[in-house]
Every structure is written in structure tokens, then in C-alpha cells.
Amino acid sequence: MGYARAVLIYNPAAGRRKAQRARVIERALEVLRSQIGVVEARPTEGPGAATGIAREACRGGADLVLVCGGDGTVSEAVNGLAHTAVPLAVLPAGTANVLAHEVGLPRDAVRAAEMLPRLEPRRIGLGRICRPAPPGEPRYFFLMAGIGFDARIVYGLNPRLKSRLGVLAYWLAGFAQLGQRLERFEVQIDGRRWECTFALATHSRAYGGDFHIARRVDLLAPELEIVLFEARSATRYLRYLAALAAGSLHRLPDVTFLEARRLEMLPRGPAPAHIQADGEYAGRLPATVEIVPDALTLLVPSSYG
């Protein structure tokens, strides 16, 4: 499928040192311009900028939006492309690049650009987070939403440390939680209720890079896989981590696996639990999370799914 006009959104702070990032963007643009009539490069200028750029691209007649950056920048662009017919292509250049791992893209942005003619459009569902306060637009996610433990890590993460250390910064922030008591909250799904300290609503098999938590869903599935962790102490999460590495997480009695199209979450204490969407902070409970079918066109390798 040929494209006449594309917009490349890139995060100038994603994944590499400044000079290296500039060279990667330059080389990727050379490749793209050999394949597409017009490619406009638009840098993000801060958090949330990719959403507005993607919306402007759609209104301006672009027939393809590309994102060169990490999962957070991609997620922002998704919020500008939801419910449009303009496809999204991803050139991985961030910290974890979970999407690249999920669909089988190379983690090198230039190699991913070279693959563009061989990528196929797939219409996928998106997750949607709605919060009653403060009022505003819903937050879409394409990979996962986490409520509780992992969102608490994202909330407390030092942006400079993340830029300097990458994925290691998340690990250090996670280990800093050991010994602490975690916020509990209630999850309601189809009339059933659970209390937990971490709920993962995922549309992706991959989690945090090379880990796999979900057992049945992928980006093409019509529902979310829900994984509920009940432990009150953060130290218990060391056992969860060991079980995840061993492939036996589903055997633990305080971990529940479900599939659902909608879940509602309510706080159960004075400090409401945090929410993250595709690795970016997304507020606090209460909230609902649901799947929105047929919401985005994503370009993926033909082998995916």
C-alpha cells in the first residue's frame, strides 16, 4: 500500500544521547522519503505533545502517521488517532519498546523504517480509561493499564534517572518499594468483586520488555486479559517476580487471571491507588477500564497474530 503524505512524530529525548538520536532520525527520514512522497518531521516538545501533533496530521490530510520514540510517545499519538482511519506505524527508539517486542518489529528505528513496505494494516481495539474526576477526555492505551503497584512505581519515577538508566530506573524504583504497605482497591467485573494491590488490564502478551504475563490475549483480541494480585506487602512481589520468570505465575493462589471487556475499580482506603497507561502516569482511582473495538489501524509484520 503506497502513501502520499506522512507525518513522523519523534521524541528528541527518547532512548539515546542527543547526537545519536539526531543521526537516527536523519537516517530514518532518508529511508522513509525514498518510500513516501512527502514526510514531515515533527518533534515533540513535552509530555502530551504527540497527541496534538497526531490530531493535526489527520486534519491536515496525512495518510500515515509514524512515531519514532518509546511506548509513551506512541501511546500519546494513539490518543490523537483513535477512531480515525489514518494508520499508525512505529519506529522503536525508547526505553522498553514493549510494542516492538509484542508485534515482532526490530528495535532499531532505521531497520523498522526499511520494513515499512512489508507491514500490513490491522484494525485493533484500544483500551480506554475513564475517571469521574477531574473531568476530561478518556485516556486510550494500546498495550496495557496498570493499577496499584506498578503505577505507584511509575508515579514515583525520577524522569532524569529514567533518561540516564533506561529500564534499570524502573527496577531501582521497584526495589525501593520493598517493605512498604500497598494501597488496596476493589475490582468489579461482571458483578464479581476482588480486593487487590495490583491489577493489570492488558491487550499485549509482553510486559516491561521481555516478560510475558498475559497468557491468551494479543492486540487483535476482542477483550482484555485481567491479572489481579492480592498481596498487601510489596515484598511479596519478589515471589511474583520469581514465579513470572519461571512461568508459574498462574499457579499462585493469590493471583487471578480473567478475560473481560470492562472493569470498574474503587479505592478501599484513604490513599487511592495510582493508574498507569502504557508506562505513563494516568491519575488515581476511581476509574473504569474497557476495551473499545475497531478503534485504530496499526501497521504490523504479516507474521503477527
Side-chain angles (χ1 to χ4, degrees):
M1 182 176 182
Y3 299 101
R5 181 173 179 269
V7 172
L8 172 65
I9 302 170
Y10 68 93
N11 181 355
R16 299 170 185 262
R17 294 180 179 178
K18 187 174 182 179
Q20 291 175 312
R21 288 193 296 265
R23 284 196 295 270
V24 168
I25 295 299
E26 217 172 279
R27 290 170 57 206
L29 277 170
E30 289 176 3
V31 172
L32 294 171
R33 284 169 176 158
S34 71
Q35 303 166 342
I36 302 169
V38 176
V39 182
E40 178 187 358
R42 296 283 307 275
T44 59
E45 297 178 353
T51 300
I53 297 172
R55 284 177 179 156
E56 289 174 14
C58 294
R59 288 194 290 261
D63 56 6
L64 174 65
V65 169
L66 303 106
V67 177
C68 185
D71 294 318
T73 308
V74 176
S75 188
E76 289 181 8
V78 161
N79 278 268
L81 292 173
H83 304 296
T84 73
V86 178
L88 169 68
V90 177
L91 311 182
T95 302
N97 298 314
V98 176
L99 177 64
H101 183 78
E102 166 70 20
V103 302
L105 284 171
R107 300 193 189 190
D108 178 272
V110 177
R111 288 180 57 210
E114 292 169 345
M115 282 186 64
L116 181 63
R118 303 192 298 277
L119 300 181
E120 297 183 352
R122 302 284 184 91
R123 198 69 181 170
I124 66 170
L126 292 175
R128 182 168 62 192
I129 302 168
C130 297
R131 298 171 58 233
E137 295 183 355
R139 175 73 171 265
Y140 290 92
F141 62 91
F142 65 101
L143 290 171
M144 67 196 70
I147 302 91
F149 181 67
D150 76 338
R152 182 175 177 169
I153 293 171
V154 170
Y155 175 75
L157 191 66
N158 184 316
R160 292 182 180 178
L161 194 65
K162 176 185 174 184
S163 178
R164 192 163 66 246
L165 300 180
V167 174
L168 179 59
Y170 288 92
W171 285 100
L172 293 175
F175 284 118
Q177 300 290 325
L178 296 180
Q180 298 189 32
R181 301 287 282 180
L182 303 175
E183 297 88 356
R184 293 189 69 80
F185 55 94
E186 181 180 283
V187 176
Q188 300 179 7
I189 302 173
D190 296 332
R192 300 173 65 191
R193 300 169 186 260
W194 292 263
E195 281 201 4
C196 55
T197 55
F198 175 28
L200 180 68
T202 182
H203 209 209
S204 163
R205 291 169 293 201
Y207 176 84
D210 296 328
F211 286 111
H212 287 88
I213 291 183
R215 304 173 64 204
R216 291 178 290 274
V217 301
D218 57 27
L219 292 173
L220 306 177
E223 65 279 311
L224 298 166
E225 187 157 344
I226 314 299
V227 189
L228 307 176
F229 299 80
E230 299 176 16
R232 184 67 185 269
S233 170
T235 305
R236 169 69 173 170
Y237 279 81
L238 289 175
R239 184 176 178 188
Y240 293 152
L241 180 61
L244 177 60
S248 59
L249 188 63
H250 61 286
R251 297 194 183 100
L252 297 183
D254 56 351
V255 179
T256 302
F257 285 80
L258 303 160
E259 291 178 25
R261 299 194 175 200
R262 187 178 187 276
L263 59 155
E264 183 176 355
M265 290 153 295
L266 302 169
R268 281 291 173 264
H274 298 284
I275 309 166
Q276 63 89 2
D278 293 332
E280 299 296 313
Y281 189 67
R284 289 178 178 262
L285 296 184
T288 59
V289 176
E290 60 189 347
I291 189 74
V292 181
D294 191 30
L296 179 78
T297 300
L298 180 67
L299 300 186
V300 298
S302 58
S303 58
Y304 182 67

